[in-house]
Amino acid sequence: MTEIIPSILSADMARLADAIDTVKAGGAAMIHVDVMDGHFVPNITIGPPVVASLRKATDLVLDVHLMIEDPDRYITDFIKAGADQVSVHQEAVVHLDRSIQLIRSSGAAAGVAINPATPIETLSEVFGILDYVLVMSVNPGFGGQSFIPYALQKIQRLDQIRRDRGLDFRIEVDGGVTSQNVCDVVRAGADWVVAGSSVYHSKQPRAAFEDLRRAAQEATLSRI
Ligand code: DX5
Ligand code: ZN
């Protein structure tokens, strides 16, 4: 099932519970939570206490994207706070296998995110122990950037590798997704598509979410 995952980075940070309820009413099953430390990326966002509050506010899947240096220091804090799935950046860790094991042994699904310029082949050895790969289609740090077109080829190649090797990790795509390109992203092989500003900067976030979801589901059917 293809999912559109609204990113609350672009929502009103004083009204996150409302922002989540709005897309839940439109059928959202997952919420993307962007964690930034001002070091790995130039922006600063939220930490485990906010995730704990979100956990109390919703039963939707909390998809936590760690854009932080040395994520191993914080992985268990985010999972204890209520993260259902956690991704770390390949570029931010030295011992990637250890980070993946830590996420899984702490009870969450494990993902690895790769920046636009990072080849998917850097994950070759760990594809078999991953729950998902997060392909960044913008340089991480901010919402509202434009989709980098060559990310599409990376998604296609990743999907091909998945088929060739008989693996079942999910492919998540994050950054610059709009109603204009969501079909291309899904046809390329994405299972989970993050959408921040195209949902929450819309005048009607629920309708914007529903439109993206409908387009993604049609594109899913057309690729089978
Ligand atoms: C960017 C974040 C994204 C961001 C996407 O660094 O990882 O999740 O919220 O926002 P849009 O969809 O506006 O590009
Ligand atoms: Zn993100």
Side-chain angles (χ1 to χ4, degrees):
M1 172 82 159
T2 311
E3 296 285 355
I4 300 291
I5 313 182
S7 166
I8 52 172
L9 181 65
S10 294
D12 180 344
M13 288 282 172
R15 298 178 189 280
L16 291 179
D18 292 344
I20 292 172
D21 286 346
T22 298
V23 292
K24 184 178 179 182
M30 304 166 75
I31 294 293
H32 188 78
V33 181
D34 286 306
V35 176
M36 306 186 186
D37 66 351
H39 293 276
F40 180 67
V41 290
N43 200 0
I44 299 176
T45 57
I46 65 170
V50 176
V51 172
S53 293
L54 295 175
R55 182 72 291 159
K56 285 187 207 140
T58 186
D59 56 359
L60 297 191
V61 171
L62 293 178
D63 169 37
V64 174
H65 177 192
L66 297 182
M67 287 162 276
I68 63 176
E69 286 179 359
D70 199 6
D72 289 13
R73 283 178 64 192
Y74 299 101
I75 283 169
T76 51
D77 291 344
F78 280 101
I79 295 172
K80 278 188 205 146
D84 297 293
Q85 51 188 62
V86 175
S87 57
V88 297
H89 266 264
Q90 184 272 351
E91 304 84 1
V93 294
V94 178
H95 305 290
L96 189 55
D97 179 86
R98 179 180 291 153
S99 304
I100 294 166
Q101 303 293 354
L102 179 58
I103 297 169
R104 297 187 90 169
S105 65
S106 305
V112 175
I114 49 171
N115 284 337
T118 300
I120 54 179
E121 287 74 16
T122 57
L123 305 184
S124 183
E125 309 306 328
V126 291
F127 282 138
I129 58 167
L130 283 176
D131 295 295
Y132 60 106
V133 175
L134 197 173
V135 177
M136 289 303 301
S137 41
V138 297
N139 290 295
F142 302 95
Q145 303 180 80
S146 297
F147 188 90
I148 293 174
Y150 66 73
L152 280 180
Q153 281 90 60
K154 290 176 73 177
I155 302 163
Q156 283 165 349
R157 283 184 15 245
L158 197 51
D159 186 39
Q160 193 60 51
I161 289 170
R162 178 166 64 168
R163 288 166 201 266
D164 291 347
R165 291 175 54 174
L167 296 170
D168 62 359
F169 61 81
R170 301 301 175 96
I171 300 174
E172 180 172 19
V173 178
D174 184 11
V177 174
T178 66
S179 57
Q180 305 299 306
N181 58 23
V182 64
C183 292
D184 294 337
V185 170
V186 171
R187 276 196 219 103
D191 306 292
W192 297 338
V193 183
V194 176
S197 53
S198 59
V199 170
Y200 286 116
H201 288 179
S202 155
K203 285 202 176 76
Q204 293 182 300
R206 175 177 168 174
F209 170 82
E210 288 171 339
D211 288 348
L212 285 168
R213 189 170 195 242
R214 195 173 311 115
Q217 286 175 349
E218 282 170 17
T220 306
L221 293 174
S222 76
R223 84 183 172 198
I224 294 168

